[in-house]
Amino acid sequence: MGPVRTELMWQSVVDAVDVAGAGDALDVLDLGGGTGSDAVRLAALGHRVTVVDPSPDALASLHRRGVEAGLTEGVNAVQGDAADLLDHVAPSSFDLVICHDVLEHVDDPGQALATISTVLRPGGHVSVVVAGRNAAVAARALAGDFVTARSLVGRSAGTWDVRSMGPRRFVVGEVEDLLTSRGFVPVATTGVRVFADLVPSAIVDTEPGARDALYALERLLSTSEDFTALSAGLHTIARLDLSVATPDPGGKSAAL
Ligand SMILES: C[S@@+](CC[C@H](N)C(=O)[O-])C[C@H]1O[C@@H](n2cnc3c(N)ncnc32)[C@H](O)[C@@H]1O
């Protein structure tokens, strides 16, 4: 097994694929897919993957990763971002959109989800992982930075300016409300990494069996609402509900 963090993040992709169409070869968009660790693994499983990411360096790493994995097809890499997504991919062309650790960085997460809804096929799914605000409070407090911890408590994702405040943090209700307001029906929200980011790597890497035991603990806690609220990552899988009118992706987004 690789690093626990990587494996837990990969498991959230596997869980999304299972919900979106277990056993089928899917058309998957990995928006903000970065260096393609998930995309290459998905392609190796037979899915057709498109990565859209603004970073040329990340896309170059993705290319190298694909070559090293011996993939000659299965991943289509495009330089672009959430705001110009429709310049790069066709409407209604994906079964699943993966959007992991990306809504923290975009200017307008609601706008990004509205655009994602237009590139999904009817009944398609989105998998969103965002950084949890409560975990950030705990991490700051445990590091002795009580002032920042306190300031994070009162911040809302809806008024978070990423340019002046850094990556946005969410609580579960904000993610689910954001999805619902863009025509999605949340299927499940789970926690990713309750402890994995907090445990010193010296323990995980040197204690015999610690890595497997931590992974098993994280998987057990992932479906507990109490622990999800404290997780570093909040993972929501949601289905596009065509009976709910979605806003025009070119239009002004509603409040979170
Ligand atoms: C923390 S990395 C996550 C990478 C990958 N999704 C993962 O889970 O490993 C954030 C990624 O979002 C990309 N990104 C930043 N702003 C974006 C935007 N406006 N639209 C799409 N992707 C964006 C970055 O280039 C980077 O690759």
Side-chain angles (χ1 to χ4, degrees):
M1 180 168 54
V4 174
R5 184 188 197 287
T6 307
E7 290 310 309
L8 289 167
M9 290 301 288
W10 167 243
Q11 186 61 49
S12 53
V13 175
V14 172
D15 291 345
V17 167
D18 281 350
V19 171
D24 298 334
L26 302 176
D27 289 309
V28 181
L29 169 65
D30 193 351
L31 178 59
T35 59
S37 56
D38 294 333
V40 167
R41 288 173 90 167
L42 278 169
L45 292 174
H47 302 291
R48 297 169 293 272
V49 189
T50 299
V51 174
V52 173
D53 196 287
S55 163
D57 290 346
L59 294 176
S61 298
L62 162 61
H63 178 72
R64 279 194 298 277
R65 203 188 280 275
V67 170
E68 279 163 21
L71 285 179
T72 51
E73 55 183 22
V75 181
N76 172 31
V78 183
Q79 189 175 356
D81 64 32
D84 66 10
L85 184 59
L86 286 164
D87 293 341
H88 307 291
V89 302
S92 304
S93 53
F94 294 99
D95 304 301
L96 172 65
V97 176
I98 306 277
C99 185
H100 288 186
D101 284 345
V102 176
L103 295 183
E104 296 88 328
H105 307 285
V106 302
D107 288 335
D108 185 340
Q111 188 75 48
L113 288 175
T115 306
I116 286 171
S117 74
T118 68
V119 304
L120 278 171
R121 295 192 174 115
H125 289 77
V126 65
S127 174
V128 172
V129 174
V130 291
R133 191 155 74 240
N134 295 340
V137 172
R140 292 294 185 175
L142 289 170
D145 184 357
F146 307 118
V147 173
T148 305
R150 190 170 169 198
S151 74
L152 283 168
V153 174
R155 286 185 193 169
S156 124
T159 56
W160 196 296
D161 175 12
V162 292
R163 291 169 200 271
S164 61
M165 295 156 80
R168 190 180 285 107
R169 305 275 186 256
F170 296 80
V171 294
V172 172
E174 289 170 338
V175 191
E176 293 189 343
D177 287 353
L178 197 54
L179 283 158
T180 304
S181 71
R182 294 308 186 282
F184 290 97
V185 177
V187 175
T189 295
T190 53
V192 189
R193 308 187 325 275
V194 180
F195 298 118
D197 295 1
L198 299 173
V199 184
S201 56
I203 295 177
V204 182
D205 294 338
T206 55
E207 295 278 339
R211 189 179 297 204
D212 289 348
L214 174 59
Y215 184 85
L217 175 65
E218 290 281 359
R219 286 301 286 166
L220 176 68
L221 298 182
S222 67
T223 52
S224 151
E225 266 184 42
D226 293 337
F227 283 98
T228 294
L230 287 172
S231 297
L234 310 177
H235 179 210
T236 303
I237 302 169
R239 190 183 67 253
L240 183 60
D241 182 354
L242 290 180
S243 66
V244 179
T246 52
D248 170 4
K252 192 91 184 122
S253 77
L256 281 175

